[in-house]
Amino acid sequence: MKLSRKIMIFISVVALLGLGVTYLLLHLILLNRFEKLDQEALRDKMDDVVSSYQSELMNMKTGLLKYSIWDETYQFMESAAPAGRADPIGQAYLNRNFSPVTYEINHFDIMALLNSSGLPLYGGEYHPDSGKVSPLKSEYLTLFNLINRRLPEFSGAEDSKAGVVLLDKGPMLITLTPIVNNNKDKPVIGTAIAGRMLQQEEVTRIWDETTSSLQMTRITSGTIAESQGQPVWMSSGSSRMMSIHTVIYDLFGDPGVMITLKHPRQIYESGMESILNFRRFFFAFTLVLCIASLLFVRRFILGRMYALMRNIRAIGNSKDLSIRIRSSSRDEFGDVEHEFNRMIDSLQQAQAELQQQAMLDPLTQLPNRSLFFNRLNEAIASASGAGKQIVLVFIDLDHFKTVNDTLGHDFGDDMLKEIALRISRVIGRNDVVSRLGGDEFTILLSDVPDAASMSMQLSQIQEALSLPHRIQGHLLYNTASIGVSIYPENGGDADYLVKQADLAMFHVKESGRNSILHYSEALEESIRRRKTLSQQLLSAADNDEFEVHYQPILSSDNLKVSKLEALLRWTSPTYGPVSPAEFIPLAETSGSIINIGSWVLRQVCSDLQGFRENGLELTAAVNISAVQLMQSDLRGLLLGLLEEYKLPSSSLELEITESVLVSGDNILLSLQELGNCGFRISLDDFGTGFSSLSYLRRFPVDVIKIDRSFISEMTLEPQGDVLVNSIIELSHNLGLKVVSEGIELQEQFDLLRRLGSDELQGYFISKPIRAIHIPTFLSQNYLFNDKK
């Protein structure tokens, strides 16, 4: 995609993103804010409605107090008959104070005077249509009875109660005040009640807002569910109106009526109109800005770029590095033109150097990889017609990295130069030596008449490489691993010959270094086998390819089997059964020994649990590698397995080799932790490693296993058992038990018992067998009873 199109796309995307972000900000932030302002305004109006409601109740209370706190009313209540029949004086009081004018002035629909028992001594209902007062209906008497039962009596002149009650014909505002004398020094003698029906006309009179509408409805179960337990909640009836609702509790504290206030969304509608106008302006402004940006980019950037490209293309087509671009301005494009001219100058200079160095290694001045392969292909083409053989030698210096790490790369470079010089001196005139890279060299021996001549030349090369180097006052010794491949015996392709020689060299590295090895198909098959086995070991445990066999170990004194050695067996999917001597080192090298070791420990614990369920209290000796001992979670793994399979720590004996003892203090700490947990430590193959006897004092070893090589060399001749006897006596003096392994003959069995070996193991007793055969074998233990 061209830059011009990318710029256009970029400007368009930026513009669209700007429009999109602006749209989102306007609608998600501003409109949301406008809506919240509308809601806040509506809440304020609802607060005003509630305040008006409370004020109306207060006005009713104030109007009623003129009749309840009054000596004449108090005297009326004292003189009135219980049945509510007033005397002439009381009747005059009622006619003066509870005329239709009183109801109309105070906007009362009912008034009543109740004695302390809740019985009405006076009660009247005003009818605005006729302007007359009639006695109270039974519904009001029921209401008075409910008030007497649910509301506590007034205790003083300051007490009062007001609220709403629900009647059959609608809600009514009602207020109750105590009846006392003017001085308020006498006890409360009764209750004065006044009420006003809340019809829609009354609601409109209370709320005189012109733009809002107010409604008051009876509380229903649906209303309570809609409120979700909130005293005030919002709802939107339409896109232009908002509604707010609140619950008014009745005189008895129960939800009575719901007040609904509807108001136009004025702020939101005004904001929406402003946003629409702003969007039109912003879209037009963005469009103009995009067009102006595109015109500017096309004229002042792309135009200059096209001119620069034409000049560069002209230089490229002519392939003349003497041409230069004439700068036409002092802006950034002028700087690019100036730097391009400088680059052409550098290219001219580098071209000559590259032509000289393209085929040589800059450090040793030997042919590099490219030139060496050219010479090798030429030699192969020449030898194929003449029937000659070519020897390819691949050299890799041993431990060369140590020189760089300890003395520095300048020492390493000097050594590489010296080695290149030495190799060049011992090869023939027609031979080619090359440095492929790092510390790797290749030699093409193009004139080798026979095997003896080849062997002599290789010996000369190896001798030259092994001579000491004196570099900057240091005497350095060096060896090399050398791999050899031969044309046409090992192939006719240059890359293949180098690969084969490299493969032979790699095997020398793996086998101890400082040697020469010729490539062969058997060698390649061996390396291929190692790689395949190493790869398969990574998943062998998950694929159930392993199996644990157990070799019984006899106690020397009673010839009973109390211990087994767990031996791992593996069947490769490709090669079939593989010896542990082959796959265990591969597992340790590849790192799969950790997973394999965990699998073995779990399988052994599972088998021990199965033995115990059959009544066999056996101990298992399990080999632990140095790599496993270096893992910090080995102790936790062992303890977790013992807890999982309900086994004591004494049921496992951990076998290590002598080479583990010289691995460092970390191994010592790991063994001490395992010993403190109750695990027995056994030293396997004793006498074949490199450890000294002092390690038997330092390390927490409990058992010594005499290697089979010592057992096989024992004879019945005098002094034929001195070495084994010495090991047994030394171990017993150190408080260690002795296990003799590799017993294959009756004579070895009897002699070791006489020498005091604590435990006996070998094919004479039993070969390793599967776990399912252990109970059967132990049932035949009487076979050893005659050897006591």
Short mmCIF file of all heavy atoms in Angstrom, two decimals, residues 361 363-364 366-369 372-373 393-398 400-401 404 412 415-416 419-420 423 433-443 465 478-483 498-499 501-503 505-506 509:
data_model
loop_
_atom_site.label_atom_id
_atom_site.label_comp_id
_atom_site.label_asym_id
_atom_site.label_seq_id
_atom_site.Cartn_x
_atom_site.Cartn_y
_atom_site.Cartn_z
N ASP A 361 37.52 -14.62 6.41
CA ASP A 361 37.17 -14.38 7.81
C ASP A 361 37.96 -13.18 8.30
O ASP A 361 39.20 -13.15 8.19
CB ASP A 361 37.50 -15.62 8.64
CG ASP A 361 37.28 -15.38 10.12
OD1 ASP A 361 36.16 -15.03 10.49
OD2 ASP A 361 38.26 -15.53 10.89
N LEU A 363 38.94 -12.14 11.18
CA LEU A 363 39.88 -12.33 12.28
C LEU A 363 41.11 -13.12 11.85
O LEU A 363 42.26 -12.70 12.07
CB LEU A 363 39.18 -13.04 13.45
CG LEU A 363 40.04 -13.33 14.68
CD1 LEU A 363 40.52 -12.04 15.32
CD2 LEU A 363 39.27 -14.18 15.69
N THR A 364 40.88 -14.26 11.21
CA THR A 364 42.01 -15.15 10.87
C THR A 364 42.46 -15.00 9.43
O THR A 364 43.49 -15.58 9.06
CB THR A 364 41.58 -16.60 11.11
OG1 THR A 364 40.48 -16.92 10.25
CG2 THR A 364 41.17 -16.81 12.56
N LEU A 366 41.29 -16.43 7.03
CA LEU A 366 41.06 -17.69 6.36
C LEU A 366 39.80 -17.58 5.50
O LEU A 366 38.95 -16.69 5.72
CB LEU A 366 40.88 -18.82 7.38
CG LEU A 366 42.09 -19.19 8.23
CD1 LEU A 366 41.68 -20.25 9.24
CD2 LEU A 366 43.24 -19.69 7.38
N PRO A 367 39.62 -18.47 4.54
CA PRO A 367 38.36 -18.48 3.79
C PRO A 367 37.17 -18.67 4.74
O PRO A 367 37.25 -19.45 5.69
CB PRO A 367 38.52 -19.69 2.85
CG PRO A 367 40.00 -19.83 2.67
CD PRO A 367 40.61 -19.42 3.97
N ASN A 368 36.10 -17.91 4.47
CA ASN A 368 34.91 -18.04 5.32
C ASN A 368 34.01 -19.16 4.80
O ASN A 368 34.39 -19.91 3.90
CB ASN A 368 34.17 -16.71 5.40
CG ASN A 368 33.71 -16.23 4.04
OD1 ASN A 368 33.74 -16.98 3.05
ND2 ASN A 368 33.29 -14.98 3.96
N ARG A 369 32.83 -19.26 5.38
CA ARG A 369 31.92 -20.34 5.02
C ARG A 369 31.58 -20.33 3.53
O ARG A 369 31.57 -21.38 2.87
CB ARG A 369 30.65 -20.21 5.86
CG ARG A 369 29.58 -21.24 5.52
CD ARG A 369 28.31 -20.95 6.29
NE ARG A 369 28.49 -21.21 7.71
CZ ARG A 369 28.26 -22.38 8.29
NH1 ARG A 369 27.84 -23.40 7.56
NH2 ARG A 369 28.45 -22.51 9.58
N PHE A 372 34.58 -21.43 1.46
CA PHE A 372 34.89 -22.83 1.71
C PHE A 372 33.92 -23.75 0.95
O PHE A 372 34.33 -24.74 0.34
CB PHE A 372 34.83 -23.13 3.20
CG PHE A 372 35.05 -24.58 3.53
CD1 PHE A 372 36.33 -25.12 3.52
CD2 PHE A 372 33.99 -25.42 3.83
CE1 PHE A 372 36.54 -26.46 3.81
CE2 PHE A 372 34.18 -26.76 4.12
CZ PHE A 372 35.47 -27.28 4.11
N PHE A 373 32.62 -23.43 0.97
CA PHE A 373 31.67 -24.28 0.26
C PHE A 373 31.88 -24.20 -1.25
O PHE A 373 31.68 -25.19 -1.97
CB PHE A 373 30.23 -23.88 0.63
CG PHE A 373 29.72 -24.58 1.86
CD1 PHE A 373 29.88 -24.02 3.12
CD2 PHE A 373 29.08 -25.80 1.76
CE1 PHE A 373 29.41 -24.66 4.25
CE2 PHE A 373 28.60 -26.45 2.88
CZ PHE A 373 28.78 -25.88 4.14
N VAL A 393 37.30 -32.44 7.27
CA VAL A 393 37.61 -32.47 8.70
C VAL A 393 36.87 -31.31 9.37
O VAL A 393 36.99 -30.15 8.93
CB VAL A 393 39.13 -32.34 8.95
CG1 VAL A 393 39.42 -32.44 10.44
CG2 VAL A 393 39.88 -33.42 8.18
N PHE A 394 36.11 -31.62 10.42
CA PHE A 394 35.37 -30.61 11.18
C PHE A 394 35.99 -30.54 12.58
O PHE A 394 36.03 -31.53 13.30
CB PHE A 394 33.89 -30.99 11.28
CG PHE A 394 32.99 -29.84 11.63
CD1 PHE A 394 32.18 -29.26 10.69
CD2 PHE A 394 32.96 -29.33 12.93
CE1 PHE A 394 31.35 -28.20 11.02
CE2 PHE A 394 32.14 -28.27 13.26
CZ PHE A 394 31.33 -27.69 12.30
N ILE A 395 36.46 -29.35 12.97
CA ILE A 395 37.19 -29.17 14.23
C ILE A 395 36.42 -28.21 15.12
O ILE A 395 36.00 -27.13 14.67
CB ILE A 395 38.62 -28.62 13.97
CG1 ILE A 395 39.41 -29.57 13.08
CG2 ILE A 395 39.35 -28.37 15.27
CD1 ILE A 395 40.74 -29.02 12.62
N ASP A 396 36.26 -28.59 16.36
CA ASP A 396 35.68 -27.70 17.38
C ASP A 396 36.59 -27.72 18.61
O ASP A 396 36.91 -28.80 19.14
CB ASP A 396 34.27 -28.17 17.77
CG ASP A 396 33.59 -27.17 18.69
OD1 ASP A 396 33.81 -27.26 19.92
OD2 ASP A 396 32.83 -26.34 18.18
N LEU A 397 37.06 -26.54 19.03
CA LEU A 397 38.00 -26.45 20.14
C LEU A 397 37.30 -26.81 21.45
O LEU A 397 36.15 -26.41 21.68
CB LEU A 397 38.59 -25.05 20.23
CG LEU A 397 39.30 -24.54 18.97
CD1 LEU A 397 39.86 -23.15 19.20
CD2 LEU A 397 40.41 -25.50 18.54
N ASP A 398 37.99 -27.54 22.31
CA ASP A 398 37.44 -27.96 23.60
C ASP A 398 37.60 -26.86 24.63
O ASP A 398 38.69 -26.30 24.79
CB ASP A 398 38.14 -29.24 24.09
CG ASP A 398 37.90 -30.41 23.14
OD1 ASP A 398 36.84 -30.42 22.49
OD2 ASP A 398 38.75 -31.31 23.08
N PHE A 400 36.82 -23.87 24.77
CA PHE A 400 37.30 -22.56 24.32
C PHE A 400 36.54 -21.43 25.02
O PHE A 400 37.09 -20.35 25.26
CB PHE A 400 37.14 -22.44 22.81
CG PHE A 400 37.58 -21.12 22.25
CD1 PHE A 400 38.93 -20.80 22.14
CD2 PHE A 400 36.64 -20.17 21.87
CE1 PHE A 400 39.32 -19.57 21.65
CE2 PHE A 400 37.04 -18.94 21.37
CZ PHE A 400 38.39 -18.64 21.26
N LYS A 401 35.27 -21.68 25.36
CA LYS A 401 34.48 -20.66 26.03
C LYS A 401 35.10 -20.26 27.36
O LYS A 401 34.99 -19.11 27.80
CB LYS A 401 33.05 -21.16 26.24
CG LYS A 401 32.09 -20.15 26.83
CD LYS A 401 30.70 -20.73 26.91
CE LYS A 401 29.70 -19.69 27.42
NZ LYS A 401 30.00 -19.27 28.78
N ASN A 404 37.55 -17.40 26.89
CA ASN A 404 36.89 -16.09 26.76
C ASN A 404 36.31 -15.61 28.08
O ASN A 404 36.39 -14.42 28.41
CB ASN A 404 35.78 -16.18 25.71
CG ASN A 404 36.31 -16.19 24.30
OD1 ASN A 404 37.38 -15.66 24.02
ND2 ASN A 404 35.58 -16.82 23.40
N GLY A 412 41.11 -15.02 23.52
CA GLY A 412 40.49 -15.97 22.62
C GLY A 412 40.78 -15.66 21.17
O GLY A 412 41.05 -16.57 20.37
N MET A 415 44.26 -16.70 20.34
CA MET A 415 44.38 -18.15 20.22
C MET A 415 43.82 -18.63 18.89
O MET A 415 44.40 -19.52 18.24
CB MET A 415 43.64 -18.83 21.38
CG MET A 415 43.72 -20.35 21.35
SD MET A 415 42.87 -21.14 22.71
CE MET A 415 44.01 -20.77 24.03
N LEU A 416 42.71 -18.06 18.44
CA LEU A 416 42.13 -18.45 17.15
C LEU A 416 43.09 -18.13 16.00
O LEU A 416 43.24 -18.92 15.05
CB LEU A 416 40.78 -17.75 16.94
CG LEU A 416 39.64 -18.18 17.86
CD1 LEU A 416 38.41 -17.30 17.63
CD2 LEU A 416 39.29 -19.64 17.64
N ILE A 419 45.84 -20.79 16.12
CA ILE A 419 45.36 -22.08 15.64
C ILE A 419 45.22 -22.07 14.12
O ILE A 419 45.59 -23.04 13.44
CB ILE A 419 44.03 -22.43 16.32
CG1 ILE A 419 44.27 -22.76 17.79
CG2 ILE A 419 43.33 -23.58 15.62
CD1 ILE A 419 43.01 -22.94 18.60
N ALA A 420 44.70 -20.99 13.57
CA ALA A 420 44.59 -20.89 12.12
C ALA A 420 45.96 -21.00 11.46
O ALA A 420 46.12 -21.66 10.41
CB ALA A 420 43.92 -19.57 11.74
N ILE A 423 47.25 -24.75 11.70
CA ILE A 423 46.59 -25.65 10.76
C ILE A 423 47.10 -25.41 9.34
O ILE A 423 47.33 -26.35 8.57
CB ILE A 423 45.06 -25.48 10.84
CG1 ILE A 423 44.54 -25.87 12.23
CG2 ILE A 423 44.37 -26.34 9.78
CD1 ILE A 423 43.06 -25.64 12.43
N VAL A 433 41.73 -24.69 4.46
CA VAL A 433 41.27 -24.58 5.84
C VAL A 433 40.38 -23.35 5.95
O VAL A 433 40.67 -22.30 5.36
CB VAL A 433 42.46 -24.49 6.83
CG1 VAL A 433 43.36 -23.30 6.52
CG2 VAL A 433 41.95 -24.40 8.27
N SER A 434 39.29 -23.46 6.70
CA SER A 434 38.31 -22.37 6.80
C SER A 434 37.84 -22.25 8.24
O SER A 434 37.82 -23.24 8.99
CB SER A 434 37.11 -22.66 5.89
OG SER A 434 36.03 -21.81 6.18
N ARG A 435 37.49 -21.05 8.62
CA ARG A 435 36.84 -20.81 9.92
C ARG A 435 35.37 -20.55 9.64
O ARG A 435 35.00 -19.53 9.06
CB ARG A 435 37.47 -19.63 10.65
CG ARG A 435 36.82 -19.38 12.02
CD ARG A 435 37.33 -18.12 12.65
NE ARG A 435 36.63 -17.83 13.90
CZ ARG A 435 36.31 -16.62 14.32
NH1 ARG A 435 36.63 -15.55 13.59
NH2 ARG A 435 35.67 -16.44 15.46
N LEU A 436 34.52 -21.51 10.09
CA LEU A 436 33.09 -21.36 9.85
C LEU A 436 32.47 -20.32 10.78
O LEU A 436 31.46 -19.71 10.46
CB LEU A 436 32.38 -22.71 10.04
CG LEU A 436 32.74 -23.80 9.03
CD1 LEU A 436 31.84 -25.00 9.25
CD2 LEU A 436 32.62 -23.30 7.61
N GLY A 437 33.06 -20.12 11.94
CA GLY A 437 32.52 -19.19 12.92
C GLY A 437 32.83 -19.65 14.32
O GLY A 437 32.97 -20.86 14.57
N GLY A 438 32.96 -18.72 15.27
CA GLY A 438 33.25 -19.09 16.64
C GLY A 438 34.57 -19.82 16.74
O GLY A 438 35.61 -19.34 16.26
N ASP A 439 34.56 -21.01 17.32
CA ASP A 439 35.77 -21.83 17.45
C ASP A 439 35.68 -23.07 16.56
O ASP A 439 36.29 -24.09 16.85
CB ASP A 439 36.00 -22.23 18.90
CG ASP A 439 34.82 -23.04 19.47
OD1 ASP A 439 33.74 -23.00 18.85
OD2 ASP A 439 34.98 -23.69 20.50
N GLU A 440 34.95 -22.98 15.45
CA GLU A 440 34.79 -24.09 14.53
C GLU A 440 35.61 -23.86 13.26
O GLU A 440 35.54 -22.79 12.64
CB GLU A 440 33.32 -24.27 14.16
CG GLU A 440 32.43 -24.69 15.32
CD GLU A 440 30.99 -24.85 14.92
OE1 GLU A 440 30.60 -24.34 13.86
OE2 GLU A 440 30.24 -25.48 15.69
N PHE A 441 36.39 -24.87 12.90
CA PHE A 441 37.22 -24.84 11.69
C PHE A 441 36.90 -26.07 10.85
O PHE A 441 36.53 -27.13 11.37
CB PHE A 441 38.71 -24.86 12.04
CG PHE A 441 39.18 -23.62 12.78
CD1 PHE A 441 39.06 -23.51 14.15
CD2 PHE A 441 39.75 -22.57 12.08
CE1 PHE A 441 39.49 -22.39 14.82
CE2 PHE A 441 40.20 -21.44 12.74
CZ PHE A 441 40.07 -21.34 14.11
N THR A 442 37.02 -25.92 9.55
CA THR A 442 36.89 -27.05 8.63
C THR A 442 38.12 -27.10 7.73
O THR A 442 38.70 -26.06 7.39
CB THR A 442 35.63 -26.92 7.76
OG1 THR A 442 35.63 -25.63 7.12
CG2 THR A 442 34.37 -27.06 8.58
N ILE A 443 38.50 -28.35 7.37
CA ILE A 443 39.66 -28.56 6.51
C ILE A 443 39.23 -29.46 5.37
O ILE A 443 38.58 -30.49 5.57
CB ILE A 443 40.83 -29.21 7.28
CG1 ILE A 443 41.21 -28.36 8.50
CG2 ILE A 443 42.04 -29.38 6.37
CD1 ILE A 443 42.24 -29.01 9.40
N LEU A 465 47.23 -28.91 17.16
CA LEU A 465 46.23 -28.24 17.98
C LEU A 465 46.48 -28.42 19.47
O LEU A 465 46.06 -27.60 20.29
CB LEU A 465 44.84 -28.78 17.63
CG LEU A 465 44.31 -28.45 16.24
CD1 LEU A 465 43.01 -29.18 15.98
CD2 LEU A 465 44.12 -26.95 16.07
N ASN A 478 45.33 -26.48 24.99
CA ASN A 478 44.06 -26.62 24.29
C ASN A 478 44.01 -27.95 23.57
O ASN A 478 45.03 -28.44 23.08
CB ASN A 478 43.88 -25.48 23.28
CG ASN A 478 42.51 -25.49 22.65
OD1 ASN A 478 41.53 -25.16 23.30
ND2 ASN A 478 42.45 -25.88 21.39
N THR A 479 42.82 -28.55 23.51
CA THR A 479 42.58 -29.75 22.71
C THR A 479 41.41 -29.49 21.78
O THR A 479 40.77 -28.43 21.85
CB THR A 479 42.28 -30.96 23.61
OG1 THR A 479 41.12 -30.67 24.40
CG2 THR A 479 43.45 -31.27 24.54
N ALA A 480 41.12 -30.44 20.93
CA ALA A 480 40.05 -30.26 19.96
C ALA A 480 39.32 -31.57 19.74
O ALA A 480 39.90 -32.65 19.83
CB ALA A 480 40.60 -29.74 18.63
N SER A 481 38.02 -31.44 19.46
CA SER A 481 37.20 -32.58 19.04
C SER A 481 37.08 -32.54 17.53
O SER A 481 36.71 -31.50 16.96
CB SER A 481 35.82 -32.50 19.69
OG SER A 481 35.93 -32.53 21.11
N ILE A 482 37.42 -33.66 16.87
CA ILE A 482 37.55 -33.68 15.41
C ILE A 482 36.62 -34.75 14.85
O ILE A 482 36.63 -35.91 15.27
CB ILE A 482 39.00 -33.97 14.98
CG1 ILE A 482 39.94 -32.90 15.58
CG2 ILE A 482 39.13 -34.01 13.47
CD1 ILE A 482 41.40 -33.16 15.32
N GLY A 483 35.78 -34.34 13.89
CA GLY A 483 34.93 -35.26 13.15
C GLY A 483 35.34 -35.30 11.69
O GLY A 483 35.75 -34.29 11.11
N VAL A 498 29.51 -31.90 5.26
CA VAL A 498 29.77 -31.05 6.43
C VAL A 498 28.89 -31.47 7.60
O VAL A 498 29.33 -31.55 8.75
CB VAL A 498 29.55 -29.57 6.08
CG1 VAL A 498 29.66 -28.70 7.32
CG2 VAL A 498 30.56 -29.11 5.03
N LYS A 499 27.65 -31.79 7.30
CA LYS A 499 26.73 -32.22 8.37
C LYS A 499 27.21 -33.51 9.00
O LYS A 499 27.16 -33.68 10.23
CB LYS A 499 25.33 -32.39 7.78
CG LYS A 499 24.32 -32.92 8.78
CD LYS A 499 22.97 -33.16 8.12
CE LYS A 499 22.00 -33.79 9.11
NZ LYS A 499 20.69 -34.10 8.47
N ALA A 501 30.34 -34.72 9.11
CA ALA A 501 31.54 -34.46 9.90
C ALA A 501 31.19 -33.75 11.20
O ALA A 501 31.77 -34.03 12.27
CB ALA A 501 32.53 -33.62 9.08
N ASP A 502 30.23 -32.83 11.15
CA ASP A 502 29.77 -32.15 12.36
C ASP A 502 29.13 -33.14 13.32
O ASP A 502 29.31 -33.06 14.54
CB ASP A 502 28.77 -31.06 11.95
CG ASP A 502 28.35 -30.20 13.13
OD1 ASP A 502 29.01 -30.25 14.18
OD2 ASP A 502 27.35 -29.47 13.00
N LEU A 503 28.39 -34.10 12.79
CA LEU A 503 27.76 -35.11 13.63
C LEU A 503 28.81 -35.97 14.33
O LEU A 503 28.69 -36.28 15.53
CB LEU A 503 26.85 -35.99 12.77
CG LEU A 503 25.84 -36.87 13.51
CD1 LEU A 503 24.84 -36.02 14.26
CD2 LEU A 503 25.13 -37.78 12.52
N MET A 505 31.87 -35.03 15.01
CA MET A 505 32.51 -34.16 16.02
C MET A 505 31.64 -34.04 17.26
O MET A 505 32.15 -34.07 18.40
CB MET A 505 32.75 -32.77 15.41
CG MET A 505 33.43 -31.76 16.33
SD MET A 505 32.29 -30.92 17.46
CE MET A 505 31.21 -30.09 16.33
N PHE A 506 30.35 -33.93 17.07
CA PHE A 506 29.44 -33.82 18.22
C PHE A 506 29.50 -35.07 19.09
O PHE A 506 29.46 -34.99 20.32
CB PHE A 506 28.01 -33.59 17.71
CG PHE A 506 26.98 -33.52 18.81
CD1 PHE A 506 26.84 -32.37 19.57
CD2 PHE A 506 26.16 -34.60 19.08
CE1 PHE A 506 25.89 -32.30 20.58
CE2 PHE A 506 25.22 -34.54 20.09
CZ PHE A 506 25.09 -33.38 20.84
N LYS A 509 32.45 -34.85 21.28
CA LYS A 509 32.16 -33.95 22.41
C LYS A 509 31.40 -34.70 23.49
O LYS A 509 31.70 -34.59 24.69
CB LYS A 509 31.32 -32.77 21.93
CG LYS A 509 32.06 -31.73 21.13
CD LYS A 509 32.84 -30.79 22.01
CE LYS A 509 33.43 -29.63 21.20
NZ LYS A 509 34.27 -28.77 22.03
#
